[in-house]
Structures are given as structure tokens and as C-alpha cells.
Amino acid sequence: MEIFEKMKMIYEKDFKNYPLAYDSERNAYSVGVIPALQTPDCQSTYEIDLEESDGKRTQYKISLMVRHRANLQELTEALNCSAREQKTLPLNIFQMVEVMFRHYRAIKYELVGRRNFYSAGGEFGTPYPIGCGKEGVTGFFGSMRPASWKDGSLLLNIDVAHTAFYKEQPLLNFIQDFMNFREDDFHRPLEPFKRSKLLQELRNIRVQVTHSNIPRTYKIIDVSEHSAEKQTFPLKDENTGNTVYCTIENYFKNQYGKKIKFPKLNCVQVSPAERNVFIPFE
């Protein structure tokens, strides 16, 4: 959604008079055909340069082309027909209207599934702890429904919704809560079954590092087999040009001047896997 909105902002002239909604998959719907796509079988490509959460810039290409045209009159006629006529509701048009309805809410709020919206800032209520490093968040459910009320209408169905989010906190605090760790548990490597249990919970979770001046964010892909004092990775020596193997503990000490508080504890490995990036839990 962020990439799509960035495209609309950069190429404002193309989309200014044509509201455009995106379903977060492969389809976008507009009111009218944008000028760049008015020629039959035409395709328009837009290039986007976006700064990622880790500080790097990534280039994206978005290609748009007309796949289908529809007239809202078909939906109106289906809604207004009598019970005796029983006209079939044009589902493709109904889907377009529903995507446009939820698009701007998906920009403002966190969209879970297709119809549940939650506010990261607690707009609908203060998050409440539910244990295991998670918290309950209140939001709302919103969908559109066809109805025969008043000779045919579209009804907006809204209700309260609840879901669980990971609590924003230091990773060590999460481990202590989720694994029920005591202080001495942080001073020894994870046993295989504990490592497996923790990995199942942490895989694909995004974390922000604290050792760098740049607030980089990474996605966890694994939990290391070894502790920070034993886990190694290939490092090129700037003086000799040779590749040596360095432990995570020594790397953080030499590169950042940081002494690892729990060197016997495992690390998390973050993407991409081929770069062999390991970061201590702390």
C-alpha cells in the first residue's frame, strides 16, 4: 500500500482527478480511466524510489493497464429491482465498490485480513496485556452489504473487532515473558527444544536494532545454533584483504565498542540469509 500511495503522490498529474483504490494484491480500481490508459491495450509503467526501514533505497516498477470496465448503473438496477425480477447482483462491480470503500481506511489504520482495521496509536482504546509478549488491540470491522430496504440499498456494516499484536518492547523482555525465563536462563545457550519453540514465534517478525546510529529494521529468519561468543561469520580483513571468521561477541566489541551482556545466549539471524547477519538478542 505504501508503494502504491507513493506512486500516486509522485505522479500526481496522472491521478489527481481519478480516485484510485488498491486491493493490496493485483487489482486497482478507479472512477474513470486515467489519461495514460485511455488508448486500447495500453500499459503505463511508473518507477518509484522508496527508502526502506533499514535506510536503504529500493526501486520499484508498477505497471497499470485496463483489464475490465464496468458501469455502476448495473449495480443500481440490480439493487432496485423488485423481488419478482430477482436480478443477479454484479459481484465484480460490488467488489470494486467495496475495495474503494476500504482503501483509505487501510492507509490510515492497520488492515488485518480484508475487513478488520486497527489503530497502532490506540485510537479505539488502550491496548491491554494478554501475556506471552502480546497485547490485545481494539479496532473495527467494516463491510458493505446489499439490501432490499427502501427499494434497494447498500448497507454499511460496522462492528467492534479485537485482535492480538506483538507488544513493542526489547526482545529480551519478550523472551523473558514468552519463555518464562529467569535471570540465570540468559547466561546459557538455548536448549534445542527451546530454540525451536522461540524460532516458531519469532520467524518473520521485524525488529529494530539499537547498536547502530541508524534505526535499521530487520526481519528475523532464524535463531542461531550457537551463542554470541561461539557463533562465527566470514569477515573480510580490511588490512590484508583475507577472509577470517569472527565471533559475534568480538565483532560488536571491535566494530561498535559494545560489550555483550549475555555472550552465552544465542543470537537472531536476520534476512537476507546469504549475508550471514547475526544480532544478539539484547
Side-chain angles (χ1 to χ4, degrees):
M1 192 67 75
E2 182 183 1
I3 299 170
F4 192 80
E5 287 303 301
K6 183 79 171 180
M7 175 195 70
K8 290 166 60 178
M9 183 181 69
I10 295 175
Y11 299 94
E12 183 182 3
K13 290 183 179 179
D14 285 15
F15 304 107
K16 184 177 181 180
N17 298 317
Y18 298 87
L20 193 64
Y22 178 48
D23 68 355
S24 299
E25 295 178 6
R26 299 185 54 147
N27 303 304
Y29 305 104
S30 69
V31 178
V33 181
I34 62 176
L37 299 178
Q38 288 182 354
T39 304
D41 300 323
C42 177
Q43 178 174 300
S44 185
T45 300
Y46 302 91
E47 295 186 358
I48 310 296
D49 185 35
L50 189 67
E51 184 176 356
E52 306 290 351
S53 55
D54 60 1
K56 295 182 179 179
R57 304 197 71 85
T58 306
Q59 288 188 338
Y60 297 91
K61 287 186 179 181
I62 302 174
S63 295
L64 298 178
M65 65 184 304
V66 177
R67 286 294 187 187
H68 183 73
R69 298 177 189 234
N71 194 326
L72 282 177
Q73 184 66 30
E74 296 178 39
L75 179 61
T76 304
E77 291 175 357
L79 290 171
N80 291 335
C81 72
S82 64
R84 203 179 306 172
E85 292 177 300
Q86 293 185 342
K87 256 191 174 180
T88 303
L89 189 73
L91 295 179
N92 59 327
I93 301 178
F94 187 77
Q95 179 184 356
M96 293 178 185
V97 174
E98 191 166 37
V99 169
M100 298 189 81
F101 157 73
R102 71 170 182 257
H103 176 83
Y104 292 99
R105 287 155 186 80
I107 296 172
K108 183 176 180 181
Y109 304 114
E110 297 292 336
L111 177 63
V112 178
R114 292 192 173 188
R115 297 184 177 91
N116 295 302
F117 304 89
Y118 299 92
S119 170
E123 184 175 334
F124 307 115
T126 304
Y128 48 93
I130 58 176
C132 293
K134 301 180 181 70
E135 56 188 11
V137 180
T138 304
F140 69 93
F141 165 90
S143 68
M144 300 184 74
R145 292 286 186 271
S148 57
W149 181 65
K150 285 192 175 181
D151 297 326
S153 305
L154 282 178
L155 300 182
L156 177 59
N157 178 25
I158 294 181
D159 202 351
V160 176
H162 298 269
T163 194
F165 280 88
Y166 284 92
K167 182 181 178 182
E168 185 176 343
Q169 60 181 334
L171 192 52
L172 283 179
N173 290 9
F174 170 81
I175 295 173
Q176 185 173 26
D177 192 10
F178 178 71
M179 304 291 289
N180 197 25
F181 267 23
R182 300 187 301 269
E183 177 64 27
D184 58 337
D185 290 319
F186 290 106
H187 296 279
R188 55 172 174 257
L190 293 169
E191 298 172 21
F193 78 95
K194 289 184 178 180
R195 174 176 169 267
S196 177
K197 177 183 177 181
L198 184 60
L199 176 58
Q200 288 180 8
E201 192 69 17
L202 291 181
R203 183 180 279 125
N204 295 326
I205 295 296
R206 293 188 176 274
V207 291
Q208 188 177 91
V209 297
T210 58
H211 65 273
S212 172
N213 293 328
I214 301 175
R216 291 193 172 101
T217 301
Y218 296 96
K219 183 172 71 173
I220 295 176
I221 59 174
D222 203 353
V223 174
S224 66
E225 291 186 18
H226 306 294
S227 62
E229 66 179 4
K230 292 184 178 180
Q231 181 66 52
T232 62
F233 68 99
L235 179 66
K236 189 174 182 178
D237 191 310
E238 295 181 356
N239 297 321
T240 64
N242 297 327
T243 298
V244 298
Y245 282 87
C246 179
T247 65
I248 304 302
E249 181 182 25
N250 286 338
Y251 178 78
F252 273 79
K253 180 180 179 181
N254 299 330
Q255 186 72 16
Y256 300 105
K258 292 185 179 292
K259 183 179 179 181
I260 302 300
K261 185 178 179 182
F262 303 109
K264 296 188 181 299
L265 192 61
N266 306 57
C267 305
V268 291
Q269 184 181 2
V270 297
S271 61
E274 58 272 14
R275 291 186 58 191
N276 294 304
V277 178
F278 296 91
I279 302 173
F281 282 122
E282 59 195 77

